[in-house]
Amino acid sequence: MTDSVARRMDMKSLLTLSVLLALIREDKGQKPEVFLLPTFSDVFAGDDITLICKGVGEPIKWFINGSQQSHQGSSMLLTAVTSKDNGKYECERDGSKIPPYTLTVEELEPHAQLSPSIGGAVMSKGGGRNLELYVDDDAHGWKCFALRGESGFRLNPDVKTDKTAVIYAQLNEAKRATFWCKNGTQRSNAVTLKMTELRVMLEPPAAPAWLGESVALRCAVWGGKAEKATFYKDNNSIANTTEDTYIITNATQADAGQYKCHATYRYSHISADAAQQEGHSDAQELKVIGRPPAATVNSTSPKNLECFCRDCPANCTSSYWYHTLFNDSFACRRLPKNTDIITVEEGGLYSCRRVCEKGFSRFSNVYSYTAQPEPVNVLAIIMAVILMVLGVLIVVLIVLKCRKRGGFSFQVMDRWTGGDFDQIQFTNLPHASRGQGQG
């Protein structure tokens, strides 16, 4: 065997070995990639998402926009994302880089709202919670989904009214699960619920904490109520109270962190002499993020209203208008007009939001309009009075004129003759001749 033949065989063997190694790295033939869970076509501000580095091999390295991260797991959880999280997410397994995933977060509100009817984002093991879906148009046709780990499930919403539906959310054995609803290309926000096996639980709201708004953190006790509660942020005590809720007013980035609580409680509803108990909750992350831009209602005149949004994307090209009666604050209806400017007639509260290519702006401020009574046409009344006075004056002048000429006559129906008329003549006579008859 010549040296050249031997070298060709060695190269062929190396090539075969590299192919086998590539097949092994591709995890039973599956293409290595970075993919998103849930598989949203559009990601909205406030969503919780997970990026999965699919493939085999260790170690695992993550890069965001080319910068290496400290995270080394095969999945990267991103909570309450905003446009600050935009960029290229790339992972490397055993020295081989995998094509990146480009994340783009829409700073808009989605087409429907999903939220717990009661409670927050944390539930006891084995528990469940109703999530209510609210839509602008028609709740029929919407479908809902749950993601537990990497497994997805479809849920059938129970339509309650034209605009609302309810799903029952359960975690089963999962530590956390994400729920959302869709209708074609439109979807709701995503709600993430987390499980705890402790009797004491800190319940942050299911929605993100928004900059400048209030946030309520509740120290809940499974099957009871906290008599005393101590709240902690990043392991530092921040409040000790007999109330079970800690409220952050005007939230800022400084309020972000890990929160937990310690509760003292007793099941006195079971036994009057129940022993006092106490316990800690799990730590829960609180992120504070900026909200999508809000629309503004501007009154160009008492009846003409304009909807605009200075910070909205350029693809926000129309507006939805909403009207609520003064005496029925729950009867909010969307007006049929889909224009930037409307003329109002009916009294009540008016608001708007901009309609964009992939979602909505936030709702605007509320404009209060009180319907005015129809204005009185003073000129018409004055003209009518003048005409009436002129009419009376004309009649008086005619009567006076006739009297000066010596008399006037009119006819009187003879009620005894069945309709014949007699003419009666009234004549102005001198006083001396009034007693004489007429020939």
Side-chain angles (χ1 to χ4, degrees), residues 412-438:
V412 179
M413 179 181 289
D414 185 355
R415 58 184 175 181
W416 305 110
T417 60
D420 294 332
F421 290 86
D422 295 327
Q423 180 169 291
I424 304 175
Q425 181 76 27
F426 293 90
T427 305
N428 294 323
L429 300 174
H431 292 287
S433 61
R434 283 184 183 177
Q436 299 179 1
Q438 296 182 14

mmCIF file of all heavy atoms in Angstrom, residues 412-438:
data_model
loop_
_atom_site.group_PDB
_atom_site.id
_atom_site.type_symbol
_atom_site.label_atom_id
_atom_site.label_comp_id
_atom_site.label_asym_id
_atom_site.label_seq_id
_atom_site.Cartn_x
_atom_site.Cartn_y
_atom_site.Cartn_z
ATOM 1 N N VAL A 412 -125.053 85.869 12.358
ATOM 2 C CA VAL A 412 -125.290 84.956 13.472
ATOM 3 C C VAL A 412 -126.220 83.871 12.998
ATOM 4 O O VAL A 412 -127.238 84.135 12.361
ATOM 5 C CB VAL A 412 -125.916 85.698 14.673
ATOM 6 C CG1 VAL A 412 -126.180 84.716 15.806
ATOM 7 C CG2 VAL A 412 -124.995 86.820 15.136
ATOM 8 N N MET A 413 -125.861 82.618 13.279
ATOM 9 C CA MET A 413 -126.718 81.499 12.879
ATOM 10 C C MET A 413 -127.957 81.479 13.756
ATOM 11 O O MET A 413 -127.872 81.612 14.967
ATOM 12 C CB MET A 413 -125.950 80.184 13.017
ATOM 13 C CG MET A 413 -126.784 78.966 12.653
ATOM 14 S SD MET A 413 -125.873 77.442 12.840
ATOM 15 C CE MET A 413 -124.752 77.607 11.477
ATOM 16 N N ASP A 414 -129.043 81.345 13.116
ATOM 17 C CA ASP A 414 -130.307 81.227 13.844
ATOM 18 C C ASP A 414 -130.427 79.799 14.336
ATOM 19 O O ASP A 414 -130.632 78.879 13.558
ATOM 20 C CB ASP A 414 -131.468 81.579 12.902
ATOM 21 C CG ASP A 414 -132.807 81.585 13.650
ATOM 22 O OD1 ASP A 414 -132.799 81.222 14.851
ATOM 23 O OD2 ASP A 414 -133.793 81.920 13.004
ATOM 24 N N ARG A 415 -130.248 79.650 15.631
ATOM 25 C CA ARG A 415 -130.254 78.302 16.178
ATOM 26 C C ARG A 415 -131.621 77.665 16.105
ATOM 27 O O ARG A 415 -131.766 76.482 16.322
ATOM 28 C CB ARG A 415 -129.782 78.325 17.624
ATOM 29 C CG ARG A 415 -130.605 79.200 18.528
ATOM 30 C CD ARG A 415 -129.998 79.222 19.918
ATOM 31 N NE ARG A 415 -130.711 80.152 20.771
ATOM 32 C CZ ARG A 415 -130.398 80.399 22.036
ATOM 33 N NH1 ARG A 415 -129.370 79.768 22.556
ATOM 34 N NH2 ARG A 415 -131.095 81.253 22.747
ATOM 35 N N TRP A 416 -132.669 78.484 15.820
ATOM 36 C CA TRP A 416 -134.011 77.923 15.743
ATOM 37 C C TRP A 416 -134.411 77.553 14.320
ATOM 38 O O TRP A 416 -135.350 76.809 14.123
ATOM 39 C CB TRP A 416 -135.037 78.938 16.287
ATOM 40 C CG TRP A 416 -134.693 79.401 17.688
ATOM 41 C CD1 TRP A 416 -134.270 80.616 18.056
ATOM 42 C CD2 TRP A 416 -134.755 78.613 18.855
ATOM 43 N NE1 TRP A 416 -134.063 80.675 19.394
ATOM 44 C CE2 TRP A 416 -134.352 79.424 19.935
ATOM 45 C CE3 TRP A 416 -135.124 77.278 19.130
ATOM 46 C CZ2 TRP A 416 -134.316 78.981 21.231
ATOM 47 C CZ3 TRP A 416 -135.071 76.849 20.444
ATOM 48 C CH2 TRP A 416 -134.670 77.672 21.481
ATOM 49 N N THR A 417 -133.703 78.121 13.309
ATOM 50 C CA THR A 417 -134.128 77.876 11.934
ATOM 51 C C THR A 417 -133.298 76.799 11.255
ATOM 52 O O THR A 417 -133.422 76.554 10.071
ATOM 53 C CB THR A 417 -134.028 79.169 11.103
ATOM 54 O OG1 THR A 417 -132.660 79.596 11.136
ATOM 55 C CG2 THR A 417 -134.940 80.236 11.651
ATOM 56 N N GLY A 418 -132.370 76.195 12.031
ATOM 57 C CA GLY A 418 -131.623 75.068 11.476
ATOM 58 C C GLY A 418 -130.565 75.457 10.482
ATOM 59 O O GLY A 418 -130.288 74.708 9.562
ATOM 60 N N GLY A 419 -130.000 76.660 10.630
ATOM 61 C CA GLY A 419 -128.848 76.967 9.795
ATOM 62 C C GLY A 419 -128.989 78.213 8.973
ATOM 63 O O GLY A 419 -128.079 78.613 8.277
ATOM 64 N N ASP A 420 -130.175 78.864 8.946
ATOM 65 C CA ASP A 420 -130.290 80.119 8.226
ATOM 66 C C ASP A 420 -129.582 81.212 8.984
ATOM 67 O O ASP A 420 -129.481 81.188 10.200
ATOM 68 C CB ASP A 420 -131.769 80.505 8.052
ATOM 69 C CG ASP A 420 -132.471 79.501 7.146
ATOM 70 O OD1 ASP A 420 -131.758 78.917 6.291
ATOM 71 O OD2 ASP A 420 -133.676 79.319 7.324
ATOM 72 N N PHE A 421 -129.133 82.179 8.255
ATOM 73 C CA PHE A 421 -128.404 83.276 8.872
ATOM 74 C C PHE A 421 -129.202 84.556 8.784
ATOM 75 O O PHE A 421 -129.816 84.835 7.759
ATOM 76 C CB PHE A 421 -127.044 83.489 8.182
ATOM 77 C CG PHE A 421 -126.066 82.380 8.453
ATOM 78 C CD1 PHE A 421 -126.049 81.233 7.675
ATOM 79 C CD2 PHE A 421 -125.171 82.498 9.500
ATOM 80 C CE1 PHE A 421 -125.156 80.239 7.920
ATOM 81 C CE2 PHE A 421 -124.266 81.489 9.750
ATOM 82 C CZ PHE A 421 -124.260 80.361 8.960
ATOM 83 N N ASP A 422 -129.169 85.346 9.854
ATOM 84 C CA ASP A 422 -129.753 86.696 9.872
ATOM 85 C C ASP A 422 -128.619 87.680 9.962
ATOM 86 O O ASP A 422 -127.665 87.487 10.708
ATOM 87 C CB ASP A 422 -130.686 86.882 11.068
ATOM 88 C CG ASP A 422 -131.903 85.975 10.974
ATOM 89 O OD1 ASP A 422 -132.343 85.712 9.839
ATOM 90 O OD2 ASP A 422 -132.370 85.529 12.046
ATOM 91 N N GLN A 423 -128.758 88.726 9.223
ATOM 92 C CA GLN A 423 -127.730 89.762 9.273
ATOM 93 C C GLN A 423 -128.151 90.814 10.278
ATOM 94 O O GLN A 423 -129.258 91.308 10.270
ATOM 95 C CB GLN A 423 -127.549 90.393 7.891
ATOM 96 C CG GLN A 423 -126.458 91.488 7.913
ATOM 97 C CD GLN A 423 -126.108 91.919 6.515
ATOM 98 O OE1 GLN A 423 -125.532 91.186 5.758
ATOM 99 N NE2 GLN A 423 -126.510 93.136 6.170
ATOM 100 N N ILE A 424 -127.227 91.146 11.162
ATOM 101 C CA ILE A 424 -127.499 92.152 12.200
ATOM 102 C C ILE A 424 -126.595 93.323 11.915
ATOM 103 O O ILE A 424 -125.392 93.167 11.748
ATOM 104 C CB ILE A 424 -127.238 91.595 13.594
ATOM 105 C CG1 ILE A 424 -128.060 90.320 13.812
ATOM 106 C CG2 ILE A 424 -127.498 92.618 14.661
ATOM 107 C CD1 ILE A 424 -127.767 89.629 15.114
ATOM 108 N N GLN A 425 -127.192 94.501 11.916
ATOM 109 C CA GLN A 425 -126.430 95.709 11.607
ATOM 110 C C GLN A 425 -126.283 96.515 12.869
ATOM 111 O O GLN A 425 -127.264 96.828 13.552
ATOM 112 C CB GLN A 425 -127.184 96.533 10.546
ATOM 113 C CG GLN A 425 -126.441 97.791 10.139
ATOM 114 C CD GLN A 425 -125.283 97.480 9.228
ATOM 115 O OE1 GLN A 425 -125.302 96.491 8.531
ATOM 116 N NE2 GLN A 425 -124.260 98.325 9.261
ATOM 117 N N PHE A 426 -125.025 96.820 13.196
ATOM 118 C CA PHE A 426 -124.753 97.708 14.331
ATOM 119 C C PHE A 426 -124.341 99.045 13.768
ATOM 120 O O PHE A 426 -123.441 99.116 12.918
ATOM 121 C CB PHE A 426 -123.623 97.151 15.193
ATOM 122 C CG PHE A 426 -124.003 95.876 15.900
ATOM 123 C CD1 PHE A 426 -123.786 94.645 15.302
ATOM 124 C CD2 PHE A 426 -124.617 95.919 17.142
ATOM 125 C CE1 PHE A 426 -124.140 93.493 15.935
ATOM 126 C CE2 PHE A 426 -124.957 94.744 17.779
ATOM 127 C CZ PHE A 426 -124.736 93.534 17.185
ATOM 128 N N THR A 427 -125.069 100.120 14.225
ATOM 129 C CA THR A 427 -124.793 101.448 13.685
ATOM 130 C C THR A 427 -124.501 102.393 14.819
ATOM 131 O O THR A 427 -125.189 102.375 15.850
ATOM 132 C CB THR A 427 -126.007 101.979 12.891
ATOM 133 O OG1 THR A 427 -126.354 101.012 11.887
ATOM 134 C CG2 THR A 427 -125.664 103.299 12.227
ATOM 135 N N ASN A 428 -123.481 103.204 14.629
ATOM 136 C CA ASN A 428 -123.188 104.225 15.619
ATOM 137 C C ASN A 428 -124.176 105.377 15.430
ATOM 138 O O ASN A 428 -124.169 106.058 14.413
ATOM 139 C CB ASN A 428 -121.761 104.754 15.425
ATOM 140 C CG ASN A 428 -120.755 103.652 15.712
ATOM 141 O OD1 ASN A 428 -120.971 102.857 16.624
ATOM 142 N ND2 ASN A 428 -119.686 103.630 14.921
ATOM 143 N N LEU A 429 -125.072 105.537 16.384
ATOM 144 C CA LEU A 429 -126.111 106.575 16.305
ATOM 145 C C LEU A 429 -125.872 107.638 17.352
ATOM 146 O O LEU A 429 -125.346 107.348 18.421
ATOM 147 C CB LEU A 429 -127.493 105.948 16.526
ATOM 148 C CG LEU A 429 -127.873 104.851 15.504
ATOM 149 C CD1 LEU A 429 -129.196 104.224 15.935
ATOM 150 C CD2 LEU A 429 -127.990 105.441 14.122
ATOM 151 N N PRO A 430 -126.347 108.867 17.056
ATOM 152 C CA PRO A 430 -126.255 109.924 18.093
ATOM 153 C C PRO A 430 -127.146 109.538 19.274
ATOM 154 O O PRO A 430 -128.108 108.799 19.142
ATOM 155 C CB PRO A 430 -126.803 111.174 17.388
ATOM 156 C CG PRO A 430 -126.684 110.859 15.904
ATOM 157 C CD PRO A 430 -126.836 109.403 15.791
ATOM 158 N N HIS A 431 -126.792 110.059 20.471
ATOM 159 C CA HIS A 431 -127.529 109.724 21.689
ATOM 160 C C HIS A 431 -129.017 110.094 21.586
ATOM 161 O O HIS A 431 -129.851 109.359 22.085
ATOM 162 C CB HIS A 431 -126.895 110.437 22.883
ATOM 163 C CG HIS A 431 -125.525 109.912 23.199
ATOM 164 N ND1 HIS A 431 -125.324 108.695 23.789
ATOM 165 C CD2 HIS A 431 -124.292 110.463 22.994
ATOM 166 C CE1 HIS A 431 -124.029 108.507 23.959
ATOM 167 N NE2 HIS A 431 -123.389 109.600 23.466
ATOM 168 N N ALA A 432 -129.316 111.139 20.890
ATOM 169 C CA ALA A 432 -130.715 111.596 20.845
ATOM 170 C C ALA A 432 -131.582 110.704 19.994
ATOM 171 O O ALA A 432 -132.794 110.681 20.147
ATOM 172 C CB ALA A 432 -130.765 113.037 20.279
ATOM 173 N N SER A 433 -131.024 109.989 19.022
ATOM 174 C CA SER A 433 -131.847 109.217 18.091
ATOM 175 C C SER A 433 -131.790 107.731 18.373
ATOM 176 O O SER A 433 -132.249 106.931 17.575
ATOM 177 C CB SER A 433 -131.377 109.478 16.646
ATOM 178 O OG SER A 433 -130.054 109.074 16.496
ATOM 179 N N ARG A 434 -131.207 107.262 19.496
ATOM 180 C CA ARG A 434 -131.053 105.834 19.753
ATOM 181 C C ARG A 434 -132.384 105.166 19.978
ATOM 182 O O ARG A 434 -132.544 103.982 19.773
ATOM 183 C CB ARG A 434 -130.159 105.608 20.955
ATOM 184 C CG ARG A 434 -128.684 105.799 20.624
ATOM 185 C CD ARG A 434 -127.812 105.469 21.804
ATOM 186 N NE ARG A 434 -126.421 105.725 21.464
ATOM 187 C CZ ARG A 434 -125.426 105.592 22.319
ATOM 188 N NH1 ARG A 434 -125.685 105.217 23.576
ATOM 189 N NH2 ARG A 434 -124.207 105.833 21.933
ATOM 190 N N GLY A 435 -133.372 105.921 20.434
ATOM 191 C CA GLY A 435 -134.686 105.300 20.696
ATOM 192 C C GLY A 435 -135.544 105.161 19.456
ATOM 193 O O GLY A 435 -136.604 104.574 19.510
ATOM 194 N N GLN A 436 -135.166 105.782 18.292
ATOM 195 C CA GLN A 436 -135.999 105.699 17.099
ATOM 196 C C GLN A 436 -135.741 104.426 16.337
ATOM 197 O O GLN A 436 -134.634 103.940 16.301
ATOM 198 C CB GLN A 436 -135.679 106.908 16.178
ATOM 199 C CG GLN A 436 -135.988 108.252 16.861
ATOM 200 C CD GLN A 436 -135.644 109.430 15.949
ATOM 201 O OE1 GLN A 436 -135.208 109.228 14.822
ATOM 202 N NE2 GLN A 436 -135.853 110.633 16.453
ATOM 203 N N GLY A 437 -136.742 103.915 15.731
ATOM 204 C CA GLY A 437 -136.625 102.712 14.925
ATOM 205 C C GLY A 437 -136.041 103.012 13.562
ATOM 206 O O GLY A 437 -135.971 104.146 13.129
ATOM 207 N N GLN A 438 -135.721 101.949 12.868
ATOM 208 C CA GLN A 438 -135.156 102.076 11.526
ATOM 209 C C GLN A 438 -136.198 101.687 10.513
ATOM 210 O O GLN A 438 -136.959 100.751 10.711
ATOM 211 C CB GLN A 438 -133.923 101.158 11.381
ATOM 212 C CG GLN A 438 -132.775 101.570 12.318
ATOM 213 C CD GLN A 438 -131.590 100.684 12.116
ATOM 214 O OE1 GLN A 438 -131.549 99.973 11.134
ATOM 215 N NE2 GLN A 438 -130.643 100.776 13.039
#
